[in-house]
Amino acid sequence: MKWFLHKLAMMFGAEPRRPTPEEETDAARAVKAHKKTPEQVQLRKELIADEHENPQFSHKWRNLRWISIIFINSLFIISFYWDVQLVEGSMSGSRFLGFHMADPNAALQVMLAFKDVMLNLVIGTVTVVALWWIVGGRAFCSWACPYHLLAEWAEAIHLFLARRGWVKDHPFHRGLRVVLWVVFMVLAFVTGYTVFEYINPVGIVSRALIYGPTVAVIWVIFLLGIEIFFSRRFWCRYVCPIGLTYGITGAVAPVQIRYDLNKCLHEGECRAVCLVPHVLEITKMGYAQDEVEYIGPDCTRCGLCVDVCPQNALSFKVRGLDSII
């Protein structure tokens, strides 16, 4: 329980750490000791060298995510332009086949702003929370959010420029996201307006796709510029309260990323591509608490780490069921 609470605390800005001797299991301790033997150290070096010479990775989960984002957001566009009433509204709040759907973060701000608990928002929020709890909370970010797809492309440009020394990443403290979550909630209550929705790129991009772009798109372009030239994935990692809300929702979700300490070579390929790399600190030598662990609640279930891990030390799992791959 203490180790789970530590993973939860990381979502609120706590720094990753090694497990204490009391937290570490005997099985994990034995695996770590075995990996430090001279024979295993040499074997690991040889395997890592071979991986670098003959890299093997896929884009399976990335491609599935991109298809999912495009498909989900296309439903809104098709429903509006052809008036089929399949999905009405936008990503902030909608109706799917008549069922109310409301983003939990937006719904909470609306109720704080109006000082009223609205039945439709409650129904919509419960529906969405139940859905995203099943698939893993922050899976919304990587499997449905339209801004996320743009940010992922912006990150690719940032990395391209960084490799050439033309830009440098400037990270912020992850606790900033928690502070801003509180600030936006207080602003909604005090002002009577959902202040965050005016600057929320998720809603702006969603509405621009459905109803056509407005001047607010300039703000989205500005944010992408920050992510390309100044701070890698600035909005998603350090600002967006939506990700924090969904992370809490999916803290004990059935669908999770499973980590197998026995298979891991600790070469760091997974951390290099992770959208929220602090959740994969357990893949560093000595950081795992047990020989089999599940990645923390801030994980977006994007699958990038699964795609690049040559040893299959990371995999999608439904807790209590067989692998879904």
Side-chain angles (χ1 to χ4, degrees), residues 4-297:
F4 171 76
L5 292 177
H6 166 61
K7 289 182 179 179
L8 193 63
M10 284 200 299
M11 187 167 61
F12 293 91
E15 291 300 318
R17 62 170 176 80
R18 295 172 182 265
T20 63
E22 294 76 21
E23 293 169 333
E24 190 177 46
T25 66
D26 292 337
R29 197 174 296 114
V31 172
K32 292 173 186 177
H34 177 65
K35 287 189 173 188
K36 290 181 180 178
T37 60
E39 296 80 6
Q40 287 298 310
V41 170
Q42 182 59 34
L43 176 61
R44 193 164 62 251
K45 288 181 179 179
E46 291 173 0
L47 289 172
I48 291 175
D50 181 65
E51 288 174 8
H52 289 166
E53 291 179 7
N54 305 287
Q56 296 181 8
F57 58 89
S58 75
H59 293 302
K60 171 186 172 180
W61 290 105
R62 186 204 68 178
N63 293 341
L64 287 174
R65 282 191 302 102
W66 287 8
I67 291 170
S68 173
I69 294 173
I70 293 170
F71 174 74
I72 290 173
N73 287 276
S74 294
L75 290 179
F76 287 94
I77 300 170
I78 293 169
S79 297
F80 176 72
Y81 278 97
W82 279 272
D83 194 26
V84 295
Q85 297 183 352
L86 178 64
V87 183
E88 303 169 79
S90 67
M91 294 297 289
S92 298
S94 61
R95 286 199 306 172
F96 177 67
L97 298 176
F99 290 94
H100 288 281
M101 309 279 281
D103 167 60
N105 191 76
L108 182 56
Q109 289 194 56
V110 168
M111 287 187 279
L112 286 172
F114 287 91
K115 285 78 173 176
D116 186 25
V117 177
M118 305 170 190
L119 181 59
N120 285 347
L121 278 181
V122 172
I123 294 172
T125 301
V126 170
T127 302
V128 169
V129 165
L131 171 65
W132 290 109
W133 169 78
I134 293 171
V135 295
R138 287 205 67 191
F140 166 84
C141 301
S142 58
W143 290 81
C145 176
Y147 179 78
H148 185 282
L149 184 58
L150 299 179
E152 200 165 340
W153 294 341
E155 181 180 33
I157 297 173
H158 171 89
L159 293 174
F160 174 82
L161 298 176
R163 283 193 295 269
R164 284 154 179 77
W166 297 341
V167 300
K168 182 181 178 181
D169 182 31
H170 297 82
F172 292 78
H173 194 283
R174 290 180 292 102
L176 175 63
R177 185 176 56 170
V178 181
V179 173
L180 292 176
W181 189 95
V182 175
V183 167
F184 287 125
M185 292 302 169
V186 171
L187 284 175
F189 183 79
V190 172
T191 66
Y193 292 95
T194 54
V195 178
F196 173 69
E197 288 305 312
Y198 288 97
I199 64 168
N200 176 15
V202 181
I204 292 172
V205 173
S206 179
R207 290 188 292 273
L209 291 172
I210 301 166
Y211 309 116
T214 65
V215 69
V217 171
I218 296 175
W219 168 247
V220 175
I221 295 172
F222 174 73
L223 286 177
L224 293 173
I226 291 177
E227 300 195 356
I228 291 172
F229 299 107
F230 186 74
S231 183
R232 180 181 177 184
R233 298 199 70 84
F234 168 74
W235 180 266
C236 301
R237 288 184 181 177
Y238 310 115
V239 179
C240 185
I242 299 175
L244 182 62
T245 305
Y246 278 114
I248 297 170
T249 299
V252 290
V255 177
Q256 297 198 17
I257 300 289
R258 180 182 185 269
Y259 170 63
D260 189 333
L261 175 61
N262 290 283
K263 296 179 179 179
C264 185
L265 296 181
H266 311 287
E267 75 274 41
E269 298 294 333
C270 56
R271 296 190 300 276
V273 300
C274 184
L275 304 178
V276 279
H278 60 278
V279 301
L280 287 178
E281 287 290 297
I282 64 169
T283 64
K284 289 182 177 179
M285 179 67 82
Y287 274 68
Q289 177 257 352
D290 201 351
E291 61 179 338
V292 172
E293 283 203 59
Y294 291 91
I295 306 305

